[in-house]
Amino acid sequence: MFKRQIFSQIMSAVIVVLLVSSCSTTQEKDINSKIFYPSEPSPPRIQYLTSFSGPNDLVNSNESLNTFLFGKESQASAIIKKPYGVSIHDGVIYVVDTRGPGYGVFNLKTSKFDVIHGSFSGKMRKPINLSVDINGDKYIADTQRRLVLVYDVNNKFVRLIGDGVTFTPSDVLIVGEKLFVTDIKNHKIRVLNKSDGKQLYEFGKAGSAKGQLFYPTNLALGANGNVFVSETGNFRVQEFTQQGQYINLFGKVGTGVGNFARPKGVAIDKKGQMHVVDAAFENVQVMNKEGKVLMFYGEPGNKRHNINLPTDIVINYDNNKYFQKYVDKDFKLEYVILVASQFGLNKVVAFGYGKKMGFDYTNQMLKKGTKKARINNKGK
């Protein structure tokens, strides 16, 4: 009986090792595969690079297997559970975990991972979005506390912005010495002094006309200095001057190209191209300055390049060197795109925007996939 138990335990251990090895091999193959949008023969513009969910995504596959088999359980269990906002600064990816609650820290320079929850006055209850200032300070919108929490470059709590009553922030955009804050409850944008948190002015009011807002969720700064606001309730993105003057709107409710069902994160590149995440369609649409759809990328699924219920997106030009090892040798990387997803295998997916050698990008028109959007509306 004793020998039979020993044999059974040995066989169970072998099966576990084989399953983990197989899973590791599959993931490694998935990681090493080159995935482009649009797919060839169209000139590729965006390459899937890698993804992040926990500490094992900062080490190689062998180290991950050793961690699984031989220890470091506390570190391995520290994964991002339900992210929303994402940002990157000086080689560090920050991703807000609404279920943590707190924010994860992926340090690409040191391959270290940490989760910040805060305590006492700095404790987070339902953080939604996070923005990083030029000096490394983090500004976190907490919808349950109805405050903006500030953490410094060393992830130490500094101060609170707001009184916990006046507004319900869902995103913070840092522009010089001003903070643009979405007030999702009162359907407006509040502009605060960064140094003391006092309100300078506000713009927008509840409604669906041009210049009015309904559940503004995310913010972005345009290449022209204007502020872009995504409205989940109005199924669109609006453009304002920093003083709050209405400029333009993009999209409307629908299932076709250029329409939205649940727009969330928005990001603008240096050319003025706008990337908009749709949590219902589970993809990202790219539009030019006039609102014309140039392409889309991302789709739901259980592979490492998939996005599932995506919420936020950020474009960054300053940290390309940390992602260069994932870039195809024939692909010239211009900037990195990070997309956060609330569900699925991976919580933050990194894409790269650029051009691939051997393709003609002169007067490029996306010939594949623009006539009908790849929409997967699961009613989430």
Side-chain angles (χ1 to χ4, degrees), residues 6 63 84 93 124 147 201 207 260 273 311 314-315 332:
I6 295 296
E63 289 174 319
Y84 193 108
I93 297 173
M124 289 166 267
L147 294 166
Y201 55 94
F260 299 116
Q273 297 179 147
T311 50
V314 62
I315 287 174
K332 184 177 180 181

Side-chain angles (χ1 to χ4, degrees), residues 89-92 106-112 322:
H89 174 77
D90 191 25
V92 182
F106 294 88
N107 194 318
L108 306 181
K109 298 181 291 185
T110 63
S111 296
K112 300 295 183 181
Y322 299 107

Side-chain angles (χ1 to χ4, degrees), residues 28-44:
E28 185 175 354
K29 182 179 179 181
D30 189 29
I31 292 172
N32 293 331
S33 61
K34 307 301 182 186
I35 301 170
F36 292 95
Y37 302 89
S39 58
E40 298 181 13
S42 297

Side-chain angles (χ1 to χ4, degrees), residues 111-171:
S111 296
K112 300 295 183 181
F113 173 83
D114 198 5
V115 178
I116 309 300
H117 298 290
S119 58
F120 302 106
S121 296
K123 187 173 182 60
M124 289 166 267
R125 294 179 183 171
K126 194 173 182 181
I128 297 295
N129 267 308
L130 173 151
S131 295
V132 187
D133 204 355
I134 190 171
N135 62 356
D137 287 347
K138 273 76 67 178
Y139 291 76
I140 303 162
D142 192 310
T143 57
Q144 187 169 327
R145 293 195 64 183
R146 302 180 70 177
L147 294 166
V148 174
L149 289 75
V150 184
Y151 282 74
D152 67 15
V153 66
N154 297 313
N155 300 308
K156 302 297 182 182
F157 172 70
V158 177
R159 61 191 174 101
L160 298 172
I161 296 177
D163 57 12
V165 177
T166 304
F167 60 86
T168 302
S170 65
D171 198 7

Side-chain angles (χ1 to χ4, degrees), residues 43 45 355-356 358-367:
R45 269 300 190 180
K355 295 180 180 180
K356 193 174 183 182
F359 289 87
D360 182 10
Y361 290 87
T362 305
N363 298 321
Q364 179 195 4
M365 292 293 292
L366 187 60
K367 299 178 181 179

Side-chain angles (χ1 to χ4, degrees), residues 20 24 56 59-73:
V20 173
S24 176
N56 286 345
V59 297
N60 61 47
S61 58
N62 290 333
E63 289 174 319
S64 299
L65 178 59
N66 290 336
T67 297
F68 180 87
L69 293 176
F70 304 115
K72 297 186 180 179
E73 291 90 349

